[in-house]
Amino acid sequence: VDAGGRLLLPGLVDCHTHALYAGDRMAEHVLKMQGMSYAEIAKAGGGIVSTVQAVRAASEQQLVEQTLPRLEALRAEGVTTVEIKSGYGLDLDNELKMLRAIRALPRHIAMDVVPTFIGAHAAPKGTTREDYLELVLERMLPAVAEERLADTVDIYVEHIAFDLHDLERLAERAAKLGLKLRAHTGQLSDMGATRRAAELGALSCDHLEFMGEADAAAMAAHGTVAVLLPATFYFLKETHKPPLELLRRHGVPLAVATDLNPGTAPVASLLTAMHMAGLLFGLTPAEVLAGATRNAARALGRQGKIGALAPGHDADFCLWDLPAPEFLCYQLGGLKPSHIFFKGKRT
Ligand code: NIG
Ligand code: FE
């Protein structure tokens, strides 16, 4: 391939999304603009559980159709691998429906799609957290493992969702089934979940606005990736930033992702999240680029396969009409690769 002097970069990796969903949360967004917080909206019956109704009402095919334009937006910006979580079904059939729809997506678009099971996203209406977690552990996890619908499980640990003990039980059960662990931790509060998830071998801890020294040390010791989600920080009008200096000092690998979802990050643009990681969180352009390639691959357990231009890796790469990589963190909007190659083929 004659690149004509253009910049050659690995295909980008968006390692944390909830991109498969139906409906929207526009009404909540208006409340948010008027000053209501995400936790207040969730406690008033909005949030994750309001998307659940829409997802339950949609067929597998409808979920695929509604998700493809969002993936196409990511693809056009040079994303060649996207991770997508379940977590809006919150019962056995609907969680499996989501994961089957996620599995069907690559038949329609030239991208790798990595599924993650996050049954432990919220307890659905009319169920206690305890009863629902039993269902996740006893029915959903074995079904996901048996049908091989995902090889990684995630959990939302937060005062509006699940607690430390739930994390430990999920991790134990996942390990028995040979499933890898990731966790949403430290988004709204520090519940001690980041260090615990790292000790339990989590591939990544994601969000991390609220974390401390012991968390960073545990992440470094266990090779856990810190996935930063600045678009969510922006949409929730958060002010408490992830402790970047602490993460750097301990040498924790940093990744950057969109968190694309209808509630906290309706952002179908990894380049936007990358820009925000630079300007809002203070990552250097080199950290941002590693965060959307090499370290994002690591958060997915796919290092050595994607996220780098090196022998043995998939030939996922893009050509950019830019003078240098740091220009990806400069112009906001309108940047696109001139050529996209997926598995060695131009798309
Ligand atoms: O990463 N934190 C939990 N999950 C998503 C929000 C999903 C939703 O509100 O629909 C997040 O912010
Ligand atoms: Fe998330």
Side-chain angles (χ1 to χ4, degrees), residues 33-90:
M33 285 191 283
Q34 290 165 354
M36 203 163 163
S37 77
Y38 180 57
E40 285 164 350
I41 291 169
K43 282 190 195 122
I48 291 166
V49 295
S50 65
T51 297
V52 169
Q53 284 180 324
V55 166
R56 287 182 178 176
S59 68
E60 186 183 317
Q61 181 59 26
Q62 285 167 332
L63 289 172
V64 168
E65 280 163 15
Q66 292 184 38
T67 301
L68 281 171
R70 299 189 275 265
L71 294 197
E72 179 50 35
L74 293 174
R75 198 197 66 83
E77 284 190 348
V79 174
T80 47
T81 301
V82 61
E83 182 260 15
I84 307 180
K85 302 176 200 294
S86 66
Y88 293 126
L90 306 188

Side-chain angles (χ1 to χ4, degrees), residues 15 33 60 63 71 92 112 114 118 199 208 228 234 256 273 281 301 309 311 340 343:
C15 68
M33 285 191 283
E60 186 183 317
L63 289 172
L71 294 197
L92 179 66
D112 269 335
V114 178
I118 184 168
E199 288 161 5
L208 301 174
L228 306 179
Y234 165 78
V256 176
F281 287 176
L309 296 170
I340 301 172
K343 309 278 175 261

Side-chain angles (χ1 to χ4, degrees), residues 83 85 116-118 120 137 141 150-157 164 166-175 178-185 193-206 222-225 227 298-301:
E83 182 260 15
K85 302 176 200 294
T116 302
F117 170 61
I118 184 168
L137 298 179
L141 267 185
D151 64 8
T152 306
V153 299
D154 200 335
I155 178 168
Y156 186 24
V157 189
L164 211 54
D166 301 333
L167 164 70
E168 287 167 349
R169 293 186 64 201
L170 184 82
E172 189 198 20
R173 185 54 64 92
L179 298 167
K180 293 173 281 184
L181 178 70
R182 298 180 66 184
H184 287 61
T185 62
T194 301
R195 49 192 173 275
R196 198 67 196 107
E199 288 161 5
L200 291 165
L203 287 173
S204 75
C205 290
D206 305 43
H222 295 274
T224 304
V225 177
V227 179
R298 194 163 160 187
L300 299 176

Side-chain angles (χ1 to χ4, degrees), residues 218-293:
M219 292 179 86
H222 295 274
T224 304
V225 177
V227 179
L228 306 179
L229 304 168
T232 309
F233 174 90
Y234 165 78
F235 260 85
L236 296 185
K237 297 199 276 185
E238 293 287 340
T239 51
H240 198 288
K241 297 181 189 187
L244 186 59
E245 272 316 316
L246 192 61
L247 290 163
R248 278 190 186 130
R249 184 149 40 79
H250 284 271
V252 179
L254 305 176
V256 176
T258 58
D259 199 15
L260 170 53
N261 75 73
T264 66
V267 179
S269 168
L270 184 56
L271 292 176
T272 302
M274 290 163 68
H275 196 279
M276 291 174 167
L279 214 58
L280 293 178
F281 287 176
L283 275 72
T284 65
E287 285 174 332
V288 171
L289 192 62
T293 53

Side-chain angles (χ1 to χ4, degrees), residues 108-160:
H108 306 277
I109 192 162
M111 287 175 106
D112 269 335
V113 178
V114 178
T116 302
F117 170 61
I118 184 168
H121 199 197
K125 284 195 182 112
T127 324
T128 64
R129 204 188 82 230
E130 289 78 8
D131 288 349
Y132 178 65
L133 191 76
E134 282 307 311
L135 188 72
V136 171
L137 298 179
E138 302 301 329
R139 300 280 311 280
M140 296 188 199
L141 267 185
V144 169
E146 172 157 75
E147 218 181 303
R148 293 170 188 259
L149 286 168
D151 64 8
T152 306
V153 299
D154 200 335
I155 178 168
Y156 186 24
V157 189
E158 194 50 73
H159 60 81
I160 55 169

